[in-house]
Structures are given as structure tokens and as C-alpha cells.
Amino acid sequence: MDVDAFVLAHRQTWNRLEELVKRRRQLTGAEVDELVELYQRVSTHLSMVRSASGDSVLVGRLSSLVARARSAVTGAHAPLWSEFVRFWTVSFPVVAYRAWRWWAGTAIGFLAVTIIIAMWVAGNPEVQATVGTPSEIEQLVNHDFADYYSEHPAGSFALQVWTNNAWVAARCIAFALLLGIPIPYLLFQNAANLGVIAGLMFDAGKGDILLGLLTPHGLIELTAVFLAGAVGMQLGWSVVAPGDRPRGQVLAEKGRAVVSVAIGLVAVLAVAGLIEALVTPSPLPTFARVGIGVLAEVAFLGYVIHFGRKAVAAKETGDIDEAPDVVPTS
């Protein structure tokens, strides 16, 4: 296809449709008929360009125009409750499910760093000396770690925990704007901190207390952080290796996926915060508290797998309908 000739031949049609869309609330009967006809015609143009040309800018322009014209023609929107249900049964789980390799890789890397550092700290008094004095370490392992979960009222602590967890995940999401480059370092910092505490606790014979207090909320909390980091790094990689599609189109799609995950994780991290505030410091036996954490983790993973697989089978991507094909530019 000669793109320049195609644009020259149809530019007036596109401009006219854009004009009608802008005035859609003041159209006469004849103009409404014209709008419908031009919408159908430009939709055909879009299909032709997509199949015969790799011009992502032109595809993006026509996609946006067709989407706006479709909205003007139909004049109706899905009910809010329908959009809400679709997000939780399609958009969020399918994005999470499709990112499972990045998600799993992030988790494996994080846990590997944590275990290695914990083993290093636990068996090395010289390293422990750089962390703190013997009295400071004793205070940490015997009092501070456990007291952290019970020193505040449950309601305020839940909010504090949710804010802290959301901040870690939010930074992973925000770093997606930098193509995910800082995310590995952010995750490494958190893994190293956890590894140091674990090393000190196990070395002091307090490993059971550590696991009993971390496991109830830590499973779903870390899973959420891994997902946030995974989609952020995946977005960055889409710039390096976009595959056989235009780089701008892939970047726009992955960027919208990051937004979906960011919204979904607000609820996931709220659950983690409630567990940490209400279950972790509760007088329930350790096995019961850990069991609640495991059930929450299994429920979340089961939710993602069930609805994610179902959406993939239906060829859903989680992207918005009639989404622009490229990143918007001014």
C-alpha cells in the first residue's frame, strides 16, 4: 500500500468524520446519517491499513477516530456495575495470568536473594556486627520484631500497613515509567532487608517466631509486590523486544496493563494489611494464623488462574475496547 496516496485520497473523509464527532450533540438528522456512513467507511479504512501497512502512527490515528465515532454512533455505555465486574473477572486476572513467567521469575529471584543473605548473616558474627551492637540485635530479636505487630490499635495499624505495602508496590508501578530499570534494585533492597532480619532471628533461635508472624500476611503481600515488579519490568522489556508488532503499539498495551494491575493491587494489598493487623498479632495458635495466610494466598492465586485462563481462552487481553494502538503524543 502507498500510504501517502491512501492518506491523500481519504484525508477529507477522516477530517469530516472528526468534525461530526466533535459536534455530535448538535447534529441534524442528515448529519447523523452521514456520521454513521462515515464511521463505517473509516472502519474499513482502518482494517485496510492494519492489514497492508505497518504505519503505527496512521493506525493509531484511525483507531482513535473510529473509537470516538463508535461512541458517538452508539451513544450508550456499559453500566458501571458491568465495567466493575469485567475488571475483576477479566481485565485484572488476565493481565496477571499472562505475566506469570515474569511474576514467577521475580519471586524466585527475590526469595533466592533473601535466603542467601539470611544464611550469610546467620553464620557470620562479623557481618552481624555491622548490622548493630549485640544489645541492639538482642532487642530486635527478643522484643522489637514481635512487638511491632501489637504496639498499635488494629484499625490504625491496618491503615499504616496498607499504606506501607501500597507504597512499595506503587514504586514498582511508577518505575515502569522508567522502563522498569530501577525495579530490580528496589526489590533487591527489600529482599536484603528481609534476609538480614531472617538471618538474625534464625541465628538467635527465633526462626519459628519470624515465620509465625510473617507468613500470615507475607505470602499475599509479597505476591502482590512480585506482580507489581513483574509487570513493570515486562513493560520495559517490551521496548527492547517488541516482537513483530510496532514498538509503540506494544508499549501502549503494556502500559495499560500496568494501570490495571495498579488498580487491582489496591484491593489485594488491603487484604494483606487487614491480615497483618487483625490476624498476625491475634491470640490464635500459630498454625491457625499461618493457615489463614495460606488460604488467602491460595484463594488469590486460584482466582487469577481461574479467571485468567478463562479470559485467555476467550482471546481476551485485558486491554480496553477500541484502545489506541500507540502511546499518545502531544
Side-chain angles (χ1 to χ4, degrees), residues 12-309:
Q12 290 186 349
T13 299
W14 303 340
N15 291 341
R16 176 57 177 167
L17 177 59
E18 189 156 13
E19 177 187 347
L20 293 175
V21 168
K22 290 180 179 178
R23 295 193 299 106
R24 60 185 178 275
R25 299 186 185 280
Q26 294 85 31
L27 298 180
T28 64
E31 288 176 329
V32 170
D33 292 338
E34 183 184 7
L35 172 64
V36 174
E37 179 185 352
L38 292 181
Y39 161 65
Q40 295 172 337
R41 190 183 304 173
V42 177
S43 295
T44 302
H45 295 167
L46 175 59
S47 297
M48 294 170 61
V49 172
R50 276 177 166 165
S51 61
S53 170
D55 191 328
S56 60
V57 175
L58 180 57
V59 170
R61 176 190 173 188
L62 292 182
S63 294
S64 176
L65 178 57
V66 167
R68 288 184 285 120
R70 179 183 180 181
S71 176
V73 169
T74 58
H77 300 281
L80 184 59
W81 68 265
S82 177
E83 293 294 334
F84 179 83
V85 171
R86 174 177 169 78
F87 176 82
W88 290 110
T89 59
V90 177
S91 302
F92 175 57
V94 77
V95 170
Y97 184 77
R98 286 181 177 275
W100 74 266
R101 291 182 178 84
W102 286 85
W103 195 0
T106 301
I108 292 171
F110 184 97
L111 295 176
V113 170
T114 300
I115 292 171
I116 291 171
I117 292 179
M119 294 174 63
W120 181 46
V121 171
N124 196 329
E126 294 181 356
V127 174
Q128 294 181 24
T130 66
V131 175
T133 65
S135 60
E136 290 173 337
I137 293 176
E138 182 181 359
Q139 177 69 20
L140 170 66
V141 299
N142 290 325
H143 302 286
D144 291 350
F145 184 79
D147 292 347
Y148 168 77
Y149 296 98
S150 57
E151 62 184 6
H152 300 291
S156 62
F157 187 51
L159 179 60
Q160 174 188 341
V161 168
W162 179 85
T163 303
N164 178 71
N165 296 339
W167 174 237
V168 175
R171 281 186 290 171
C172 288
I173 296 295
F175 284 147
L177 299 176
L178 301 177
L179 305 183
I181 295 173
I183 294 177
Y185 178 69
L186 174 63
L187 294 174
F188 175 82
Q189 283 184 312
N190 283 271
N193 290 336
L194 179 57
V196 169
I197 294 175
L200 294 175
M201 293 292 287
F202 273 94
D203 191 61
K206 304 284 186 178
D208 56 335
I209 296 177
L210 172 82
L211 296 178
L213 290 174
L214 279 185
T215 304
H217 65 275
L219 289 174
I220 191 170
E221 175 183 298
L222 287 177
T223 299
V225 172
F226 297 155
L227 177 56
V231 296
M233 291 186 288
Q234 188 181 34
L235 182 144
W237 183 250
S238 69
V239 176
V240 177
D244 57 358
R245 292 188 296 161
R247 181 172 281 103
Q249 179 180 347
V250 177
L251 183 59
E253 178 183 309
K254 297 300 182 184
R256 291 188 291 269
V258 168
V259 173
S260 293
V261 168
I263 296 172
L265 289 185
V266 170
V268 177
L269 289 171
V271 172
L274 288 173
I275 294 175
E276 187 167 359
L278 302 176
V279 177
T280 299
S282 73
L284 291 172
T286 300
F287 75 88
R289 291 185 281 109
V290 171
I292 292 173
V294 171
L295 284 176
E297 174 75 356
V298 170
F300 176 57
L301 294 179
Y303 153 75
V304 170
I305 293 172
H306 173 73
F307 287 105
R309 279 182 175 174

